[in-house]
Amino acid sequence: MHKLQIKIESPIGPLYLVGTEHSLQGIFWEKQDVPMINRKSNNTYLHKVVTQLKEYFEGKRTKFTLRLETEGTKFQKAVWNELMNIPYGETRSYKEIAIAIKNAKACRAVGTANGKNPIAIIIPCHRVIAHDGSIGGYGGGLPIKKKLLKLEKEK
């Protein structure tokens, strides 16, 4: 199956969506290494992703209903699946995620897996903060993480 790509403008800057005819495989920031895709797409499925992201940024969508296809280790996938359980507008600490996946001592590993999340925003890694309440890191940069958290708190 061919991978497809769409570049969109968003309130947090340009985003690159990568997927197939049937699933989303990645959302990348401009400063990240965007996978080289030979085909730009008018794919209907990726346009569904664009629509849902637009609704999210407008404060009209709090849950995404998309088919996601991630590549990662069993541990990374466990972390990413747990991130999907963090409600819109709430945060969890790396420690809370580690406990939720039944690996309480894996806080640093959770942080590493969180940083390798291939589908930012939709798999809401921006909702994970440090145990002391500080914001922690973010692949898109701290200003973007702050904007996403603020967007979710305001709605």
Side-chain angles (χ1 to χ4, degrees):
M1 206 172 274
H2 294 288
K3 285 192 177 188
L4 308 166
Q5 176 183 310
I6 294 177
K7 177 184 177 184
I8 64 168
E9 294 301 322
S10 80
I12 56 172
L15 298 173
Y16 295 84
L17 312 180
V18 176
T20 68
E21 299 283 341
H22 308 288
S23 66
L24 177 64
Q25 297 176 324
I27 296 180
F28 299 91
W29 314 105
E30 194 161 50
K31 70 178 189 173
Q32 288 178 300
D33 291 332
V34 179
M36 294 303 292
I37 307 296
N38 293 330
R39 289 179 60 195
K40 303 292 184 231
S41 175
N42 287 327
N43 172 278
T44 346
Y45 192 77
L46 289 182
H47 284 290
K48 179 179 179 181
V49 176
V50 172
T51 299
Q52 289 193 21
L53 282 169
K54 183 179 179 205
E55 292 167 351
Y56 169 81
F57 287 120
E58 291 171 349
K60 297 176 184 173
R61 176 174 290 278
T62 60
K63 280 189 168 239
F64 293 94
T65 56
L66 299 166
R67 264 186 314 266
L68 308 179
E69 186 179 335
T70 57
E71 291 181 20
T73 66
K74 184 178 176 182
F75 180 82
Q76 288 171 331
K77 288 182 177 189
V79 170
W80 301 334
N81 286 335
E82 188 57 35
L83 298 181
M84 300 291 285
N85 294 325
I86 305 172
Y88 180 91
E90 294 184 21
T91 58
R92 297 290 183 271
S93 70
Y94 298 103
K95 183 176 184 170
E96 289 172 309
I97 299 298
I99 291 168
I101 63 169
K102 302 188 181 356
N103 198 341
K105 295 187 179 191
C107 300
R108 285 182 188 259
V110 164
T112 300
N114 200 45
K116 294 191 183 288
N117 171 19
I119 306 178
I121 303 165
I122 293 170
I123 298 177
C125 54
H126 62 278
R127 295 181 189 154
V128 183
I129 60 172
H131 187 65
D132 66 3
S134 62
I135 197 162
Y138 193 60
L142 292 182
I144 290 175
K145 183 172 185 172
K146 289 175 183 175
K147 281 183 184 179
L148 292 171
L149 292 172
K150 183 177 183 213
L151 168 80
E152 292 186 11
K153 291 285 186 203
E154 290 177 346
K155 301 300 173 205

